[in-house]
Amino acid sequence: MAEKSTVQQRILDAAVARFNVQGFHGTSVRDIAEHADVNQALISYYFGSKHKLMERILTGFFEGYIEMLETAVARRPISGCYFDKLVRTAWEVLIYQCRRREAARFAHREMTLDTTLVREIMTTYLMREKHLLALIFSEAYEAGEMTVQPTELFVLQLKELLTVPFLHPQYIQELYQRQVDDRDFLDDYLSTVVHWLSLYFQPTVISYEELYGMAVDHVTNQNESTD
Amino acid sequence: MAEKSTVQQRILDAAVARFNVQGFHGTSVRDIAEHADVNQALISYYFGSKHKLMERILTGFFEGYIEMLETAVARRPISGCYFDKLVRTAWEVLIYQCRRREAARFAHREMTLDTTLVREIMTTYLMREKHLLALIFSEAYEAGEMTVQPTELFVLQLKELLTVPFLHPQYIQELYQRQVDDRDFLDDYLSTVVHWLSLYFQPTVISYEELYGMAVDHVTNQNESTD
């Protein structure tokens, strides 16, 4: 969201923060204006209605997400293994959300409602997400790397494992005393996901530890900070 | 919730259904009264405010959930294996939610907000849930059945895998053309969870297929219907 001007970004950030505390309907445009420290009229000027503002947050989040996922899926695996590619993609999904953790929490929660906007986002973005994730598994399967025929439910589980920390940051903070935007948490979390994934793969020429190290190094070099 | 009278139950069901479409703040007491086909005054009479009504839905859901989980965790494994106990517990968690799928969807979504009520439920119920789930893993680990030291993140992942279908029933319906309250879906879903769990266990005297069959038979005999 770096391309947006400061005022617009401040409005978007304030809106998302208030929506996460009070819910969308429980938040007024006045609340948002106060928390963004801008004149209420600017919100109408830039975004129109509160509903349009929510739409911008949701489509902004999912638009960037699908773009990031498309890039990750199109990439050739460094080591020649699809397992490696899968791990790096998983890491990038975690980091993408980590950098937009308030928006991620809001977006994932809104997607559990039954509205016209939700149905539109599903057919526009989540259909594409499902296709992209299934694609990486089918590559791995065709290359003979995976031991189990990947099923749709397997894709669903990967998606949800990568979603959950950002849907429930507060639960994780209160009950596990972990911060989802903490690099240590992300490392530990990825490592359990990688372990889960690795159990479905044939033992490859390169060991799990090596693959994991390579994947993480590669991402770390490109994007050191999580903010 | 079978102990509640018809009118109270109709109000609770209507409230949950409206909350899932419009959100808590977007739903008026009048909406609920209309959908429950009762006089608005009866809602105040039985529940007080809309907020109290929500509290009843949430505590009712989590109270019953923890009770069910305590019973499941206290039970001795049929086959003498903790893997078996774990599978049956997972199945019962799925069935519990399946029977209250609208309440489950609402409860899981509300738990992603940052409110006083949410923090109370976390310390009252979810702390207990975490403890109970960790207990089953530690039994299995101490008995030498599990190959990996179970970590908190592993408990978190199991919890979330069992939560997700009921948080996102609409997503699963639109993108996967599956109904979460369908017995076939639950069987397939449990089988991917069991596969995931089994990968962390030592090969036991009894095979995975036998354990799975036993676990499912046992539950099926007790509670045939999912409604």
Side-chain angles (χ1 to χ4, degrees):
Chain A
M1 301 195 204
E3 76 281 2
K4 295 207 188 68
S5 78
T6 315
V7 170
Q8 276 180 292
Q9 193 55 53
R10 252 177 30 226
I11 294 170
L12 289 168
D13 290 347
V16 150
R18 297 320 291 160
F19 293 162
N20 277 335
V21 174
Q22 307 174 150
F24 173 73
H25 282 97
T27 304
S28 65
V29 174
R30 175 196 287 262
D31 276 343
I32 299 168
E34 265 174 33
H35 279 83
D37 198 18
V38 301
N39 189 298
Q40 207 172 315
L42 274 180
I43 298 183
S44 308
Y45 175 74
Y46 282 126
F47 300 100
S49 62
K50 189 177 71 164
H51 194 268
K52 288 263 177 221
L53 180 54
M54 170 173 75
E55 249 184 73
R56 272 284 286 278
I57 294 168
L58 294 179
T59 54
F61 177 79
F62 284 113
E63 190 81 48
Y65 169 65
I66 293 300
E67 227 168 76
M68 177 277 301
L69 202 55
E70 276 173 343
T71 310
V73 169
R75 208 180 278 142
R76 292 188 65 78
I78 300 174
S79 62
C81 293
Y82 289 103
F83 180 67
D84 165 31
K85 184 167 163 180
L86 202 47
V87 171
R88 281 195 296 136
T89 305
W91 179 249
E92 290 180 13
V93 171
L94 290 175
I95 290 294
Y96 179 85
Q97 295 179 96
C98 190
R99 290 195 176 135
R100 296 153 187 85
R101 52 196 173 277
E102 289 282 315
R105 181 179 179 178
F106 176 64
H108 295 316
R109 184 176 60 246
E110 281 304 302
M111 295 310 290
T112 69
L113 285 168
D114 182 4
T115 64
T116 310
L117 178 60
V118 165
R119 274 193 291 275
E120 281 169 12
I121 289 177
M122 279 184 186
T123 50
T124 314
Y125 300 112
L126 298 190
M127 200 59 105
R128 190 94 193 112
E129 174 203 40
K130 179 187 165 196
H131 171 74
L132 290 166
L133 291 178
L135 200 63
I136 316 189
F137 284 114
S138 64
E139 283 176 343
Y141 184 68
E142 277 163 28
E145 282 184 41
M146 284 191 86
T147 49
V148 189
Q149 171 74 51
T151 65
E152 287 204 318
L153 293 182
F154 188 67
V155 170
L156 180 64
Q157 290 187 344
L158 177 65
K159 168 190 159 63
E160 296 303 342
L161 287 174
L162 299 178
T163 297
V164 148
F166 303 96
L167 183 62
H168 300 291
Q170 194 186 348
Y171 168 79
I172 292 168
Q173 187 181 320
E174 305 252 339
L175 269 81
Y176 292 79
Q177 282 84 51
R178 304 290 299 259
Q179 303 285 344
V180 293
D181 55 329
D182 185 76
R183 176 60 193 253
D184 284 347
F185 174 83
L186 285 185
D187 281 345
D188 289 353
Y189 193 81
L190 180 69
S191 116
T192 64
V193 173
V194 168
H195 187 68
W196 173 68
L197 284 172
S198 71
L199 294 165
Y200 295 89
F201 276 75
Q202 307 280 4
T204 48
V205 193
I206 300 178
S207 74
Y208 154 69
E209 286 76 14
E210 278 179 277
L211 277 173
Y212 177 66
M214 282 173 62
V216 170
D217 283 352
H218 177 77
V219 176
T220 310
N221 292 340
Q222 284 196 318
N223 318 297
E224 182 49 48
S225 126
T226 53
D227 270 311
Chain B
M1 301 196 205
E3 77 281 1
K4 295 207 188 70
S5 77
T6 316
V7 170
Q8 276 180 290
Q9 193 53 54
R10 247 173 40 222
I11 294 169
L12 289 167
D13 290 348
V16 149
R18 296 320 292 158
F19 293 162
N20 277 334
V21 175
Q22 307 174 151
F24 173 73
H25 283 97
T27 303
S28 66
V29 174
R30 175 195 288 262
D31 276 343
I32 299 168
E34 264 173 32
H35 279 82
D37 198 17
V38 300
N39 189 301
Q40 208 172 313
L42 273 180
I43 297 182
S44 309
Y45 175 74
Y46 283 125
F47 301 99
S49 63
K50 189 177 72 166
H51 194 268
K52 289 263 176 217
L53 180 55
M54 170 174 71
E55 249 183 75
R56 273 284 287 278
I57 294 168
L58 294 179
T59 55
F61 177 79
F62 284 113
E63 190 81 48
Y65 170 63
I66 293 300
E67 227 169 78
M68 177 277 301
L69 203 54
E70 276 173 342
T71 309
V73 168
R75 206 181 279 142
R76 293 189 64 77
I78 300 174
S79 62
C81 291
Y82 289 103
F83 180 67
D84 165 29
K85 184 168 162 179
L86 202 46
V87 170
R88 281 195 295 136
T89 305
W91 179 247
E92 288 179 15
V93 171
L94 291 175
I95 290 293
Y96 180 84
Q97 295 178 97
C98 190
R99 290 193 177 136
R100 295 152 187 86
R101 52 195 173 278
E102 288 282 315
R105 181 179 179 178
F106 175 64
H108 296 316
R109 183 176 61 243
E110 280 304 301
M111 295 310 290
T112 69
L113 284 167
D114 182 5
T115 65
T116 310
L117 178 60
V118 164
R119 273 192 293 275
E120 281 170 10
I121 289 177
M122 279 184 186
T123 50
T124 314
Y125 300 112
L126 299 191
M127 200 59 102
R128 190 92 195 113
E129 175 202 41
K130 180 188 166 196
H131 170 74
L132 290 167
L133 291 179
L135 200 64
I136 317 191
F137 283 113
S138 62
E139 283 176 343
Y141 184 67
E142 277 161 29
E145 282 184 40
M146 283 190 84
T147 48
V148 188
Q149 172 75 51
T151 65
E152 287 202 318
L153 293 181
F154 187 68
V155 171
L156 181 65
Q157 290 187 346
L158 176 66
K159 169 190 157 64
E160 296 303 343
L161 287 174
L162 300 178
T163 298
V164 146
F166 302 95
L167 184 62
H168 299 291
Q170 195 186 345
Y171 167 79
I172 292 168
Q173 188 181 321
E174 304 254 337
L175 270 81
Y176 292 80
Q177 283 84 51
R178 305 290 298 259
Q179 303 286 343
V180 292
D181 56 330
D182 186 76
R183 177 59 193 254
D184 284 347
F185 174 83
L186 286 184
D187 281 345
D188 289 353
Y189 193 79
L190 180 68
S191 116
T192 65
V193 172
V194 168
H195 188 68
W196 173 68
L197 285 172
S198 71
L199 295 164
Y200 294 89
F201 276 76
Q202 306 281 5
T204 49
V205 192
I206 300 176
S207 74
Y208 154 70
E209 285 76 14
E210 277 179 280
L211 278 173
Y212 178 66
M214 282 173 62
V216 170
D217 283 352
H218 177 77
V219 176
T220 309
N221 292 340
Q222 284 195 319
N223 318 297
E224 182 50 47
S225 127
T226 52
D227 270 311

